[in-house]
Amino acid sequence: MNPTTQSIDALKGRARKLGLLGLLEHWNDFQDQAWPENLIQIEEAFRSQRSLERRLQKAHLGRFKHMADFDWTWPKKIDRDILDELFSLEFMDEPANGVFVGPNGTGKTMLMLNLAYQAVLKGHTCLFTNASALLNDLAEKDSASALNRKLKALTAPRLLCIDEVGYLSYNHRHADLLFEIVSRRYGKGSILLTTNKPFAEWNEVFPNASCVVTLVDRLVHKAEIVQIDADSFRLKEARERSARKEKSRTPRKRD
């Protein structure tokens, strides 16, 4: 088989993947012309863009600061090697999890959203949700079938992002539901999670819940843990903003 035949077969394969059956049916009439390949390229680009737009819409990422705005000099402690590994997205092939642990306002959500965005750009499905909204929504399901449908929906994305575990306290029902999510995704899809509480303090987040130890064990069994030690970025930015405004104000003339 010569290279020309190989390239034609590859082109026909791309047309077949796009479902351009009419073009394939009359291929011999047009194969010596340039436009079939141009048409296939245009259709591939169009579908790729539409697919990206759908994935972004379903991901619910919202607006977020991109990594170019992350001040690496501010944290007292952050492991960039682990972050580089996460941003390679290889953890999703296992699949493994990623957990960002640190005080409020230290960039955990920003890092997670940027990771999710990169995953979507690479063709993965993703869903971002706040822990409180997620668990309360599940707890309010009024039937087993409704709950099961929602849990199935949470199992479907290749990447599930759960933000702000630990900012509120939950009852044992919420702990059981989070454990159910982690268990259903175990070995099937990756989870990214942010928390302001070390795992040793998760009993305070889910008081009186018997599954906390098992929940943490299942979550971190295959996980990269990113520990962040820093003062609040938001407080830092607020102070800088205040300083800029103070500097820009015209001094009042004294009488």
Side-chain angles (χ1 to χ4, degrees), residues 4 34 52 76 86 111 118 130 163 169 180 205 225 230:
T4 301
L52 173 60
K76 302 168 188 174
L86 286 172
L111 291 169
Q118 290 302 315
N130 176 272
D163 196 28
S169 293
E180 185 70 19
V205 181
I225 312 297

Side-chain angles (χ1 to χ4, degrees), residues 16-162:
R16 191 173 295 109
K17 187 175 181 180
L18 292 169
L20 301 177
L21 303 183
L23 178 62
L24 289 167
E25 181 69 22
H26 299 279
W27 189 268
N28 291 336
D29 299 334
F30 311 117
Q31 64 178 352
D32 295 329
Q33 301 182 37
W35 69 262
E37 183 172 5
N38 293 336
L39 172 66
I40 290 170
Q41 290 175 343
I42 291 170
E43 186 67 19
E44 286 174 337
F46 174 77
R47 295 193 186 189
S48 177
Q49 181 62 31
R50 288 290 298 274
S51 177
L52 173 60
E53 290 171 358
R54 285 194 298 269
R55 292 195 308 276
L56 283 171
Q57 185 178 29
K58 292 180 179 179
H60 300 296
L61 301 183
R63 298 179 63 182
F64 59 93
K65 290 185 177 181
H66 291 275
M67 290 306 298
D69 296 321
F70 192 85
D71 185 358
W72 293 101
T73 66
W74 183 251
K76 302 168 188 174
K77 174 186 175 183
I78 187 169
D79 195 322
R80 292 193 65 171
D81 290 336
I82 294 179
L83 280 170
D84 288 342
E85 288 181 20
L86 286 172
F87 273 95
S88 75
L89 302 180
E90 292 180 2
F91 73 99
M92 296 181 65
D93 295 332
E94 291 191 47
N97 301 324
V99 182
F100 297 90
V101 185
N104 300 351
T106 53
K108 302 184 297 299
T109 301
M110 175 184 175
L111 291 169
M112 182 167 68
L113 285 168
N114 274 274
L115 262 171
Y117 182 66
Q118 290 302 315
V120 172
L121 291 181
K122 294 294 184 181
H124 299 296
T125 53
C126 173
L127 175 63
F128 174 87
T129 182
N130 176 272
S132 178
L134 171 66
L135 297 178
N136 286 330
D137 178 52
L138 289 172
E140 290 171 0
K141 296 302 177 189
D142 56 4
S143 69
S145 59
L147 176 60
N148 192 52
R149 283 194 300 271
K150 182 64 176 181
L151 288 169
K152 282 185 177 180
L154 293 169
T155 306
R158 286 290 307 279
L159 181 63
L160 176 64
C161 301
I162 305 175

Side-chain angles (χ1 to χ4, degrees), residues 10 73 153 179 190:
T73 66
F179 176 72
S190 295

